[in-house]
Amino acid sequence: MFNFKCLLCNAKYACHFILKKMPIATFLLHGHLLNGLVLGVYEKEGETDSFDLTTAARSLDDAVSGKLSELLKISGPALKKGKNRIFYGLHEDFPCVAVVGLGKNNAGVCGSENWDTGKENIRAALSAGCRLLQDLEVSHVEVEACGDAQAAAEGAVLGLFQYDLLKTKKKTKVTTQLHGSDDVAGWEKGILYGEGQNLARLLMEGPANLITPTAFADTIEEKLAPYSERVTSSLHFFWVQSQGWIVEQQMGAFLSVSKGSEEPPVFLELHYNGSPDKTQAPLLLVGKGITFDSGGISLKPPSGMDAMRADMGGAATVCAALVTAVALKLPINIIGLAPLCENMPSGKASKPGDVVTAKNGKTIQVDNTDAEGRLVLADALCYAHTFSPRAIVNAATLTGAMDVALGSAATGVFSNSDWLWERLHQASVVTGDRVWRMPLFQHYTRQVTDSQLADLNNVGSSRSGGACTAAAFLREFVTAPHWAHLDIAGVMGNKDEVPYLRKGMSGRPTRTLVEFAARLAQEA
Ligand code: BES
Ligand code: ZN
Ligand code: ZN
């Protein structure tokens, strides 16, 4: 038997057992509700081993007669960016206080990094603080804004996400609340941005036997259901087209990919009419939705093939962005399109050398059945043009070459429009989920129009520049003046590169798409 004195109320009590993995707070804070608080500290300008408390941290420090700053001084060197410390029993309302290092105050936009360092630091620090408390099984966490309630909420929501649906032992469910700031609007916006990205992560991480094309569409339909009342006021509406419709639409390229699988393909079409101007041309978001990419007859090697359950990342991020735009009530019209199917080898599958006809009548020689993303997107892009769009943005885990080129630092953007590129870039600086412009030279077009049997070949005549030849292929299905193709293969997963995301499928760049749409909504 162990005897303790509660750190908060001094009550003496006995504990009959202590498990090695038991959080310290569960026995040192006997009987108190496990509430946590995350506070930030800045590195002091020009001084190496000193710190500045944020406004919220200062007011807690005042409430406990300077005990917080005293503890920070005696518990080790001043907290550097990304480092943290936890204090128990400091304040009656908050048995556990996590203090996180924010780096320098007012860091702002960094020209060479192409992001807002201050916002990124807040996301990283608060994510780490929330995760620390979650690991201690603290179930309610108050989070300070650190001067940017939206970035703080994003850090908290993204940091706490863990895909444990299929595990018996789950992570502690943590509720979060804004602390010491009245920017509730910024906080709520950040929650929606973070939840949007988490929806894409949920779909991408989910195994392919559960996230089939039909299950994907059902999940999005469920997410949109709370807003169905607004259908009558034509805020948005939703429907799933059947396979018959796909045949009717003469989407021969999409069907050639789906026919090797037993799972029926789905062409998901979402309409959100948020603009007060009902006649406003819509923003078209199109996403590659391969719920599993085995490579087909051009079968992939087995190592790492499981990651191809996330080959619907394009569909996941654009649909999650649309759901978020609806939740934010953005005053804009958006149409989301996702061709969803599996790419599987079978007696019915496409064979290398087969020729298929896309919706616009162009013929394609399929020399490699593993270059299937461009086939499903070709038909979806043709269909997108029927809505006379304001702009078309497609996202796709399209090429391994994109990962080789930029890794997970940024999404590669291929665009025929400086206007569109500028807007996507500006949005990404704010979200920290970066984009980088890639070329659409005729040089690459020549490599995909070089086909023995058809108008186009689905692989380039040279192996070099694979991300660029894939983009050049897609361009053959675009006549709109404002189009951007986002190759998200490199940013599909996270190991430890983005500090505020746990390991796993990343849901990138959902927040950049949402921010882009939000900014576009402000333009006439
Ligand atoms: N889905 C893959 C691309 C991919 C690879 C995404 C790694 C994420 C991580 C795509 O369908 C594919 O297989 N592309 C081929 C194209 C090639 C055959 C021209 C590739 O990149 O190897
Ligand atoms: Zn493939
Ligand atoms: Zn693929």
Side-chain angles (χ1 to χ4, degrees), residues 6 40 48 57 127 133 156 176 225 299 391 399 413 448 451-453 483 502:
C6 176
T48 47
S127 158
L133 294 174
T176 53
L299 198 63
T399 64
V413 176
V448 291
S451 165
Q452 176 104 33
L453 305 174
W483 162 70
R502 283 192 171 106

Side-chain angles (χ1 to χ4, degrees), residues 288 293 311 372 397:
K288 167 177 170 181
D293 180 11
D311 207 22
E372 82 300 338
T397 48

Side-chain angles (χ1 to χ4, degrees), residues 288 293-295 300 308 311 343 369-373 398:
K288 167 177 170 181
D293 180 11
S294 71
K300 284 181 181 296
M308 286 300 108
D311 207 22
N343 183 25
T369 64
D370 196 12
E372 82 300 338
L398 205 64

